Amino acid sequence: MKNPYHFLTYGFTLLLLGFIQHPCKAQAVNQQTKINQQVQSLLSKMTLEEKVGQMAQVTLDVITKGKDRFSSFEPVELDPKIMDDVFNKYKVGSILNTANNRARTPEQWYTIISGIQKFGKGRLNIPVIYGIDAIHGTTYTAGATFFPQQIGQAASRNLNLIKKGAEITAYETRASGIPWNFSPVLDLGPDPRFPRIWETYGEDPFLTSEIGKAVVKGYEGDKNDISSPFHVASCLKHFIGYQVAVSGKDRTPAYISDQALRDYHLPPFKAAIDAGAHTIMINSGLINGVPVHANYEILTNLLRKELGFKGLVVTDWGDIENLHTRDRVAKNNKEAVMMAINAGIDMSMIAYQYEPFCDDLIALVKEGKVKQSRIDEAVTRILTLKYQLNLFEKPVTNYKDYPKFGSKEFENAAYQTAVESITLLKNNDNILPLKKTAKLLVTGPNANSMRTLNGGWSYSWQGEKVEDFASKYNTITEAIQNKVGAENVSFIPGVSYKMDGKYFEEYADKMDEAIAAAKDVDAIVLCLGENTYTETPGNLSDLYLSDLQTEYAKKLAATGKPVILVLNEGRPRIISKFEPSMQGIIMTYLPGNFGGDALASVLFGDENPSGKLPFNYPKFPNSLVNYNHKPSESRSVVEGVYNYDADYNPQYEFGFGLSYTSFAYSNLKLSANSILANDELTVTVDVKNTGNREGKEVVDLYLSDLYASITPDVKRLKGFEKISLKSGESKTISFKLNKTAFSFVNADNKTVVEPGDFEITIANLKAKFNIK
Ligand code: BGC
């Protein structure tokens, strides 16, 4: 370079111009510089003990009055004696979760958190950071607005509605005095056996990435300004490769090649990190034999050096301890702490036993086994987050400043999301929509339960306390009766769940009476599925829907009356043993407090269904292949020549979902037939509503790389858009594809575009192009 000064001046001018053009950006940079200075100044005053305390997080039950650390007396009250040990002696910097696994009112939250802030700030006035799982709405706040769980949100394919839901959740979480949300889950959910499928956005990396970005912006604001009292810090989880355990059970070993990790599991996390997410939580499980909490390669090389993540890394519940007690890679707690902190953990969600974590970490630093610089790095990130959240100025937000908490406006958004999530899977002879004058039997274990509409993470971890809080909302039966009057709608359970904590136990509950009553009605609305669960208690031995529910469905079908099957479940339980005898099938997932109302509107045609499956709905337990499988998993079958019964054959495929109107696709056009890898390709298609009522359609674009150095997937989703069309109306939809869409991860773990032939599929249309 001839004149470096010229370059510098030029660069400076550009920078200045940039700031003039983007005053907000300049302001944000100034703000961050100020925070960096404040953090460094604070850090320089802190003792080792104070620093280690910042890295510790305990659960609320620990600091309340109660018989032990694991529970609290009601009404919940902070215990000054215990808090003295936790905050003054051990200098703990973060609290999480609720007490007694039960939701609290916004007033109670205010009392609890302001009490903590008063007590917990220590000699340097450092506020405590409170974190919570506000998963589909503010889980642990009574009166908060509950949306469909993530899996249903994904079925809606409506990014605006999903983002709005995240904004409302951020608002209501701050109304509860809490600034940090352990959400969203960006794990893929490719295995229907896993108990946390409903916490995901389904099996596809692109769909998960697009929704993840929208949700991070919903929680943190478009500019990620989390100092706003209406935004919260998001926490991406569970980094990385959770939910693909070989056994299909929670927190058991996964074996994932680096290639697959990068090609499928990484994109959603990368997209959300690029969208500015402030924190991330680590996968509780192990990959290729190594617990992720002890994996330097993943926590530091991949997350920090490669993805450039600058925010805070928190463990999952008790996962440092688990390195010793469960996974046995550490011979004692101290070694576990050393491994995790050296691998790159900033904060330990200890939950209960804070003493050993703090004592061991202090000793490790003194012995030189954990470097002081590693501690400073972690604490810098924690203090930075506290400053960014404006906690030093305002350690607790007050519910009185949140007049829209639980408002009609918010409830409408939740209702609308529930409507758009509902997925119509079968509608033989247009049995749906039902006439409002039809005589109906509403039945099944999910027909009259707010608990099953909401699922886990609803007022309590496993969802077992829903009925204590949700009586003002409508079950499916209540919503149907509200819509068409109680005279024509009878409810008899037929099958019920046992409510004693055994989540999957069921019993016949007036089954004969229900079958007799079925003979006198025009149609049967049969609500089957699962009771609530999450995490390990939701592990499953049999993916078929239970024997009792299957038997009941068959008996009802045998009455000869049309049966409309309503599925209310967190994962696709197999229904192939009786599916052919059902005349209509509606998937509701876990639609939340407005799920009953939304379903009733769809059943009677006040709303037109538009949800699309975010996973393959399997037909058999040994055929759990995803839509983006390899060609050898779906050969063309020569009928009658061999037995290909086990070929790719889902009950319903990813992206499937019917409407009460019909759509026709035409004019699929590409901007070029041959391009270079760096070129952009524009794809357009016309969509027409050919039916006689207004409807919403999701236009999905799939790309197939026809030949590649690693066997390509048959197709991959690379674009989607949800549109609304009046009867007879047409729209031209346009997608832009670039290098990111054309690329995949090769055998050397490099993201590459390989020249060759590609094919685009939109609905029944296909078009080919070539990359030179
Ligand atoms: C779950 C996390 C959750 C954490 C805190 C863990 O058991 O795996 O998803 O954020 O608890 O409640």
Side-chain angles (χ1 to χ4, degrees):
M1 189 175 302
K2 270 193 233 145
N3 179 354
Y5 297 106
H6 169 74
F7 176 76
L8 278 179
T9 332
Y10 178 69
F12 182 70
T13 317
L14 271 186
L15 204 73
L16 206 70
L17 268 177
F19 280 179
I20 293 166
Q21 278 167 4
H22 299 285
C24 297
K25 208 167 177 183
Q27 227 172 28
V29 173
N30 287 341
Q31 183 59 17
Q32 192 51 48
T33 313
K34 190 173 149 207
I35 289 177
N36 293 346
Q37 286 162 356
Q38 286 168 316
V39 168
Q40 285 321 308
S41 144
L42 190 50
L43 197 67
S44 69
K45 297 183 192 121
M46 291 170 77
T47 62
L48 176 60
E49 288 72 14
E50 282 166 336
K51 289 177 183 173
V52 164
Q54 285 299 311
M55 297 169 70
Q57 186 182 54
V58 300
T59 190
L60 182 57
D61 278 322
V62 171
I63 57 168
T64 53
K65 292 185 181 164
K67 73 172 183 341
D68 55 27
R69 283 185 183 192
F70 306 102
S71 61
S72 309
F73 296 138
E74 293 284 352
V76 171
E77 229 182 290
L78 297 171
D79 186 331
K81 214 166 121 233
I82 303 174
M83 286 205 296
D84 189 43
D85 195 60
V86 169
F87 294 123
N88 294 337
K89 180 161 181 222
Y90 280 94
K91 300 161 198 328
V92 167
S94 183
I95 306 288
L96 86 151
N97 208 15
T98 184
N100 286 337
N101 180 31
R102 167 174 277 279
R104 308 278 150 197
T105 64
E107 291 94 315
Q108 285 169 330
W109 275 122
Y110 182 72
T111 310
I112 291 169
I113 295 176
S114 35
I116 290 173
Q117 297 297 14
K118 232 172 257 155
F119 209 102
K121 56 189 193 270
R123 71 175 181 111
L124 293 169
N125 282 317
I126 304 176
V128 171
I129 181 169
Y130 208 105
I132 203 103
D133 296 270
I135 300 293
H136 65 123
T138 308
T139 304
Y140 290 124
T141 302
T145 311
F146 280 17
F147 290 78
Q149 297 281 1
Q150 278 194 205
I151 198 73
Q153 295 186 28
S156 83
R157 303 290 205 272
N158 188 328
L159 294 178
N160 294 331
L161 273 179
I162 296 171
K163 184 178 175 200
K164 172 109 184 135
E167 284 165 2
I168 291 170
T169 301
Y171 182 101
E172 295 192 342
T173 304
R174 282 285 197 161
S176 315
I178 300 171
W180 187 14
N181 187 5
F182 304 135
S183 174
V185 168
L186 295 185
D187 312 319
L188 298 182
D191 186 340
R193 300 170 305 163
F194 204 76
R196 303 187 77 173
I197 288 297
W198 53 270
E199 290 185 65
T200 74
Y201 296 118
E203 71 184 39
D204 181 65
F206 180 78
L207 181 61
T208 304
S209 304
E210 293 303 296
I211 299 178
K213 285 190 278 186
V215 168
V216 166
K217 294 298 188 189
Y219 286 150
E220 300 201 352
D222 285 331
K223 301 198 175 77
N224 300 84
D225 175 12
I226 53 171
S227 69
S228 157
F230 303 116
H231 299 158
V232 291
S234 58
C235 186
L236 316 176
K237 63 192 198 181
H238 308 81
F239 191 71
I240 185 176
Y242 193 45
Q243 311 236 12
V244 286
V246 173
S247 70
K249 295 185 182 167
D250 190 26
R251 291 169 163 91
T252 60
Y255 294 88
I256 313 174
S257 70
D258 285 348
Q259 189 278 333
L261 196 78
R262 284 166 179 281
D263 214 4
Y264 300 97
H265 301 274
L266 196 56
F269 287 102
K270 180 175 177 350
I273 288 169
D274 292 346
H278 276 81
T279 77
I280 199 163
M281 190 187 293
I282 302 309
N283 168 6
S284 256
L286 25 154
I287 301 180
N288 306 336
V290 182
V292 183
H293 281 79
N295 193 324
Y296 183 86
E297 197 49 46
I298 288 179
L299 299 191
T300 297
N301 284 345
L302 179 61
L303 181 61
R304 298 292 182 186
K305 297 186 183 155
E306 198 178 317
L307 298 184
F309 181 64
K310 302 227 159 28
L312 168 72
V313 171
V314 63
T315 71
D316 201 340
W317 188 275
D319 274 322
I320 294 188
E321 241 176 276
N322 278 340
L323 296 178
H324 166 57
T325 53
R326 186 192 68 191
D327 294 330
R328 296 169 176 247
V329 290
K331 62 179 178 298
N332 52 37
N333 187 67
K334 190 168 169 186
E335 196 174 57
V337 173
M338 180 182 79
M339 282 177 151
I341 302 301
N342 285 341
I345 294 294
D346 298 322
M347 183 185 280
S348 174
M349 187 187 284
I350 302 165
Y352 299 108
Q353 310 298 345
Y354 53 93
E355 302 93 329
F357 171 80
C358 295
D359 293 341
D360 285 341
L361 187 50
I362 291 166
L364 285 161
V365 177
K366 289 186 175 156
E367 290 159 20
K369 291 185 177 142
V370 171
K371 286 196 187 126
Q372 181 68 49
S373 56
R374 180 69 267 282
I375 301 291
D376 286 346
E377 179 182 62
V379 178
T380 297
R381 290 180 187 137
I382 295 163
L383 295 177
T384 301
L385 182 69
K386 290 184 175 184
Y387 274 108
Q388 286 169 331
L389 284 165
N390 201 30
L391 297 181
F392 283 84
E393 297 287 319
K394 204 173 173 53
V396 58
T397 39
N398 188 331
Y399 65 95
K400 288 187 182 144
D401 299 328
Y402 295 83
K404 291 212 260 180
F405 175 87
S407 61
K408 263 272 151 287
E409 178 196 331
F410 288 3
E411 293 193 347
N412 285 341
Y415 164 81
Q416 197 55 39
T417 313
V419 167
E420 294 208 19
S421 73
I422 288 176
T423 308
L424 179 60
L425 296 175
K426 187 174 186 182
N427 196 10
N428 279 4
D429 304 324
N430 292 326
I431 177 82
L432 295 170
L434 293 167
K435 287 204 185 69
K436 286 189 178 158
T437 50
K439 207 163 174 234
L440 299 177
L441 170 69
V442 182
T443 184
N446 296 53
N448 203 24
S449 158
M450 286 314 301
R451 173 175 172 175
T452 62
L453 286 177
N454 277 296
W457 294 118
S458 304
Y459 308 106
S460 58
W461 179 44
Q462 296 292 321
E464 80 282 7
K465 299 193 177 89
V466 172
E467 309 295 348
D468 296 353
F469 292 90
S471 56
K472 79 166 195 180
Y473 308 102
N474 298 314
T475 65
I476 292 173
T477 302
E478 288 162 350
I480 292 177
Q481 289 178 336
N482 288 346
K483 193 163 278 291
V484 296
E487 325 70 67
N488 280 337
V489 181
S490 51
F491 164 67
I492 305 170
V495 174
S496 287
Y497 296 117
K498 284 202 173 140
M499 299 308 246
D500 61 359
K502 300 222 166 75
Y503 298 133
F504 303 125
E505 276 189 31
E506 303 164 353
Y507 62 99
D509 187 359
K510 302 190 185 148
M511 193 186 279
D512 294 339
E513 194 184 313
I515 290 162
K519 298 188 175 124
D520 299 326
V521 298
D522 298 316
I524 301 162
V525 178
L526 172 60
C527 306
L528 301 183
E530 299 182 311
N531 202 356
T532 66
Y533 58 86
T534 189
E535 301 187 43
T536 309
N539 283 347
L540 199 62
S541 305
D542 185 356
L543 193 57
Y544 275 109
L545 197 65
S546 75
D547 287 348
L548 189 62
Q549 294 192 47
T550 302
E551 175 198 329
Y552 185 44
K554 286 182 179 169
K555 284 186 172 159
L556 286 173
T559 63
K561 297 291 172 165
V563 183
I564 292 123
L565 172 66
V566 171
L567 292 165
N568 171 209
E569 56 189 5
R571 59 194 147 193
R573 299 293 296 269
I574 297 175
I575 53 170
S576 51
K577 288 179 183 166
F578 64 93
E579 187 273 348
S581 62
M582 301 290 104
Q583 194 143 345
I585 301 182
I586 301 180
M587 176 59 154
T588 66
Y589 315 90
L590 303 174
N593 276 332
F594 302 93
D597 300 323
L599 175 73
S601 295
V602 167
L603 279 174
F604 297 99
D606 291 343
E607 304 276 5
N608 192 351
S610 63
K612 303 283 174 184
L613 282 178
F615 46 65
N616 267 355
Y617 202 118
K619 202 175 199 171
F620 301 105
N622 286 14
S623 298
L624 304 180
V625 174
N626 294 145
Y627 90 87
N628 52 354
H629 53 275
K630 301 295 180 199
S632 54
E633 290 173 290
S634 59
R635 291 158 297 185
S636 337
V637 179
V638 184
E639 279 296 333
V641 177
Y642 299 107
N643 177 10
Y644 277 129
D645 200 34
D647 201 39
Y648 177 75
N649 188 17
Q651 187 85 60
Y652 302 106
E653 207 177 19
F654 174 89
F656 181 71
L658 300 167
S659 165
Y660 294 152
T661 186
S662 51
F663 301 96
Y665 287 73
S666 60
N667 274 328
L668 175 60
K669 286 188 196 142
L670 311 185
S671 56
N673 294 327
S674 186
I675 59 170
L676 298 172
N678 283 324
D679 290 347
E680 190 175 74
L681 183 77
T682 305
V683 181
T684 55
V685 69
D686 294 344
V687 189
K688 182 172 185 190
N689 181 342
T690 50
N692 51 18
R693 64 173 289 178
E694 188 171 354
K696 292 196 168 113
E697 170 70 335
V698 180
V699 184
D700 280 336
L701 182 152
Y702 294 97
L703 183 70
S704 309
D705 189 346
L706 297 182
Y707 298 92
S709 58
I710 279 197
T711 300
D713 291 349
V714 291
K715 60 179 185 178
R716 289 180 174 193
L717 185 73
K718 291 296 172 185
F720 66 92
E721 193 175 330
K722 188 160 196 179
I723 55 168
S724 185
L725 291 174
K726 299 213 167 59
S727 169
E729 192 187 359
S730 291
K731 272 185 190 156
T732 302
I733 307 304
S734 163
F735 296 97
K736 294 208 182 306
L737 300 182
N738 60 24
K739 204 156 89 182
T740 316
F742 310 141
S743 65
F744 69 97
V745 178
N746 71 10
D748 300 326
N749 301 322
K750 296 274 174 316
T751 303
V752 294
V753 178
E754 289 180 352
D757 290 339
F758 290 75
E759 185 173 67
I760 282 174
T761 307
I762 298 183
N764 53 338
L765 306 175
K766 286 183 189 299
K768 279 192 183 152
F769 68 97
N770 171 276
I771 295 183
K772 282 189 287 224

